[in-house]
Amino acid sequence: MDRKALEYHVRGILEAIGEDPNREGLLETPSRVAAMLEETLEGTAYSNHEIAEMFGKTFESHCFADSEEAVVMKDITVFSYCEHHLALMYDMKVNVAYIPRGRVLGLSKIARICDMAAKRLQLQEKLGRDICEIISEAADTPDVGVKISGSHSCMTARGIRNASSKTVTTTFIGKFRNNSDLKKLLDD
């Protein structure tokens, strides 16, 4: 990311909304916002393949060899930004399930994959697809399911201002597509 450009444009936004970027409370705002964007949009710098490589640490597991059993991790907390309004997507909970093929991902790696994939401008539906793709590659399995529930400030804080609305998306690949028992693993 170009930090100097970010600072310049944040200063311009402050001026455009009628603020004085030279007043005491705003003097460091362009720098702070640039640092925040570098941190919260870090995933923009990586492809799904690179994230899979980064967090693809697996362990041999004989428990799952030739099995239809799944690893399920629920309530992974992430946040992201809507690409349409740059609005915060918050209170997001990600449930991930996959069927291992002789190897399992470290549990922290699943949460790290979800976190890094969320650090991009996007839509919730795309986030689910990205997490599925990354988990599939990292765990070397075609069988992955992802369910995401979250609030979108473009719905809760502006426009219709429906503060209690939640958006739920599901993404299923492999055996999760047609197996209702596997899909139920992702329910809350």
Side-chain angles (χ1 to χ4, degrees), residues 2 11 26 49 56 68 144:
D2 185 339
R11 182 177 177 83
L26 295 177
H49 173 71
E68 294 303 309
V144 182

Side-chain angles (χ1 to χ4, degrees), residues 5-175:
L6 289 170
E7 290 178 18
Y8 173 82
H9 290 291
V10 169
R11 182 177 177 83
I13 289 170
L14 292 172
E15 290 170 348
I17 64 173
E19 280 286 356
D20 176 6
N22 294 315
R23 76 173 169 86
E24 184 179 359
L26 295 177
L27 278 173
E28 295 179 33
T29 297
S31 175
R32 287 185 185 119
V33 172
M36 179 207 57
L37 290 172
E38 285 177 329
E39 179 182 339
T40 61
L41 297 175
E42 178 186 5
T44 303
Y46 305 105
S47 68
N48 286 352
H49 173 71
E50 290 169 325
I51 295 171
E53 285 184 333
M54 196 181 319
F55 300 119
K57 175 75 173 167
T58 61
F59 303 92
E60 190 174 347
S61 176
H62 299 293
C63 300
F64 292 98
D66 300 320
S67 170
E68 294 303 309
E69 296 176 6
V71 172
V72 181
M73 191 168 199
K74 293 185 177 184
D75 296 330
I76 301 165
T77 304
V78 300
F79 68 90
S80 194
Y81 292 94
C82 163
E83 66 184 31
H84 294 155
H85 301 98
L86 301 184
L88 186 63
M89 299 187 312
Y90 61 98
D91 288 340
M92 296 179 80
K93 301 286 186 192
V94 181
N95 296 346
V96 175
Y98 73 96
I99 299 174
R101 297 290 175 236
R103 299 193 65 79
V104 294
L105 280 168
L107 293 176
S108 71
K109 303 306 184 228
I110 297 169
R112 290 179 190 279
I113 287 168
C114 294
D115 181 64
M116 187 61 76
K119 291 181 174 180
R120 300 169 169 166
L121 297 177
Q122 65 199 328
L123 304 174
Q124 185 171 315
E125 304 92 300
K126 183 174 182 334
L127 176 58
R129 283 194 310 271
D130 286 346
I131 292 170
C132 255
E133 183 179 304
I134 296 165
I135 295 286
S136 177
E137 181 178 342
D140 194 24
T141 180
D143 307 311
V144 182
V146 174
K147 178 180 180 181
I148 304 173
S149 173
S151 297
H152 296 237
S153 60
C154 56
M155 282 283 298
T156 63
R158 60 159 302 278
I160 193 157
R161 292 189 180 108
N162 190 315
S164 63
S165 67
K166 293 270 188 201
T167 300
V168 178
T169 56
T170 57
T171 308
F172 303 113
I173 61 173
K175 292 183 179 180

